[in-house]
Amino acid sequence: MSTLARVPDVDVQDATETDSVGGVRPRLVARPTSTEQVSQLLSAAAEDDLVVVPRGRGTKLRWGVPPRSVDVLLDLSGMDRVLEHQAGDLIVAAEAGTPLAAMQDTCARADQRLAIDELVPGTTIGGLIATNLSGPRRMAYGTMRDLLIGVTVVRPDGVVAKAGGKVVKNVAGYDLGKLMTGSFGTLAVVTSAFFRLHPVPETSTWVSVEAESPSAATETVRQAVHSQMVPAAVEIDAQPGRPTLVSALLEGTEVGVAGRGDQLLRLWGDTAAVDTQERPRGFPRESESQALLKLTCAISAVPEIAQAAVDLGLHVRGSAGTGVLFAALPDGTPPETVASALERLRERTTAAGGAAVLLDAPPEISTAVDAWGPVPGIELMRRVKERFDPENLLSPGRFVGGI
């Protein structure tokens, strides 16, 4: 019997097909309810050389590359409490399995928010940190790396570590929070985190204008990004055979937003208008069977990269204000076509100071395509992995370079 079954008060069950990670089925599912239980489980798993993959609500479990193997799926959905909200200090703390929406509801009672858009419904705090996911407002507020001020993690050997705390500014040192952010659960298991908050603005408005194509929107994007209207986001939405939509989000006081909106309407011309209905701002796909790419580049190259993706038949949507785009291939695109499109876009984004990665796809695609491509600093990343997880027991193979 696995030593996991001897950890007190923890639910350990046989895994089912619904517990698969990118098509790889684990043997067991363990459901801890505290950092102490996570520590005990990871210590027991390390004793038996069991490979562990953490899961929140499973909304992004296919992202990255499927793990080489999974013995234990560590289900953190039972760790779903908002631990603390200090409205006067604009901070909040929550457990890793807490849905972002639930934490936002708590903060909203004080007219505050974590300035991260929920692109994937049901996303948990731990999932946000693991994937460094952010949306349109990253232009004004930054990403999870910028908003995370404290974190509690459990190393693969069961040792609990903490960094940061309840203040926005911390002393210089090893920034464990930033290291965890975007690591896809390969270094340690995040069990709770502190974030800095922002006040909810009095009002917000989207102003949009259409262009014939992404290339034709170059000046429109430039005007919005470099204007004096201080937009919270500048988004682009482009797909083959349709006009390209450029939208700017204005937030603040009612008087201020109204004035800045009028200025932007005059700047963009007669075809610009205030959105009367909320337009889609999430990923540009209608089905999870569509391969989803993440394209990054210099802000000045956004129209060029978006045009290249559209020319390949992709639907593109994302932040023209930060150079982070998401692109979806048509449903049913075979793996070899996905690989070809990714390689061509990788050449363009690399030349523009960015990268192109396969973010999410069905297992038949993610196992056949080079998801990450060349990664600068890969040897340093491998050394960090070796330091945190020398036995390679935590999410092996899910991250860049087989980490």
Side-chain angles (χ1 to χ4, degrees), residues 17-357:
E17 189 61 38
T18 59
D19 297 312
S20 294
V21 183
V24 182
R25 182 172 173 173
R27 293 195 293 113
L28 300 170
V29 178
R31 297 180 173 88
T33 57
S34 68
T35 296
E36 181 182 6
Q37 288 183 352
V38 173
S39 173
Q40 292 172 337
L41 285 167
L42 288 182
S43 178
E47 183 179 331
D48 284 353
D49 292 324
L50 299 179
V51 172
V52 178
V53 172
R55 176 182 73 183
R57 299 295 169 118
T59 59
K60 295 175 290 299
L61 209 56
R62 293 193 321 185
W63 288 25
V65 177
R68 287 190 288 274
S69 64
V70 186
D71 294 310
V72 182
L73 188 66
L74 191 66
D75 185 344
L76 302 174
S77 61
M79 300 177 62
D80 59 355
R81 297 177 300 157
V82 177
L83 301 172
E84 188 174 350
H85 177 211
Q86 295 189 13
D89 294 325
L90 286 168
I91 62 170
V92 67
E95 292 180 313
T98 306
L100 174 62
M103 193 180 78
Q104 297 286 38
D105 287 343
T106 297
C107 299
R109 297 168 195 160
D111 292 325
Q112 296 174 354
R113 69 184 181 188
L114 178 63
I116 293 288
D117 301 282
E118 187 174 28
L119 296 184
V120 181
T123 291
T124 62
I125 297 305
L128 279 173
I129 295 172
T131 60
N132 194 26
L133 181 64
S134 59
R137 288 177 176 84
R138 66 181 290 159
M139 178 178 176
Y141 301 101
T143 67
M144 184 59 66
R145 279 190 173 91
D146 305 297
L147 300 173
L148 180 67
I149 60 173
V151 67
T152 298
V153 305
V154 182
R155 294 186 343 201
D157 58 2
V159 174
V160 178
K162 297 183 180 182
K166 300 181 182 181
V167 293
V168 173
K169 291 185 178 179
N170 295 307
V171 296
Y174 195 65
D175 199 327
L176 187 60
K178 282 186 170 58
L179 196 60
M180 294 299 112
T181 306
S183 64
F184 278 73
T186 58
L187 299 178
V189 176
V190 174
T191 58
S192 65
F194 273 93
F195 304 96
R196 65 185 178 104
L197 303 172
H198 289 83
V200 175
E202 186 176 310
T203 190
S204 62
T205 296
W206 285 94
V207 178
S208 299
V209 66
E210 290 185 347
E212 183 178 339
S213 66
S215 295
T218 299
E219 181 61 18
T220 300
V221 169
R222 189 198 66 78
Q223 289 174 334
V225 171
H226 299 290
S227 72
Q228 300 301 309
M229 273 66 82
V230 195
V234 177
E235 294 283 288
I236 188 169
D237 191 331
Q239 53 186 310
R242 295 189 182 181
T244 294
L245 184 73
V246 180
S247 303
L249 174 63
L250 305 177
E251 294 187 328
T253 65
E254 290 189 7
V255 172
V257 168
R260 287 151 56 207
D262 288 341
Q263 293 180 54
L264 188 55
L265 289 170
R266 289 193 295 270
L267 179 67
W268 276 352
D270 295 339
T271 59
V274 174
D275 282 355
T276 56
Q277 294 183 339
E278 183 69 15
R279 299 176 186 259
R281 310 290 176 190
F283 297 136
R285 64 177 183 177
E286 300 175 355
S287 167
E288 290 191 357
S289 62
Q290 292 178 262
L292 181 68
L293 312 183
K294 181 179 180 181
L295 313 175
T296 59
C297 62
I299 296 173
S300 59
V302 165
E304 170 197 341
I305 299 302
Q307 186 67 63
V310 168
D311 290 344
L312 290 171
L314 281 66
H315 183 182
V316 185
R317 184 185 294 154
S319 175
T322 61
V324 179
L325 306 173
F326 300 98
L329 286 91
D331 203 355
T333 302
E336 58 271 20
T337 304
V338 175
S340 176
L342 187 56
E343 185 60 32
R344 293 172 68 178
L345 289 170
R346 200 164 271 160
E347 294 176 2
R348 303 293 291 270
T349 55
T350 299
V357 302

Side-chain angles (χ1 to χ4, degrees), residues 377-392:
I378 185 62
E379 292 307 318
L380 175 60
M381 294 181 185
R382 288 198 173 103
R383 289 198 295 272
V384 172
K385 172 68 171 177
E386 174 67 22
R387 179 65 61 88
F388 275 80
D389 185 16
E391 302 302 323
N392 206 22

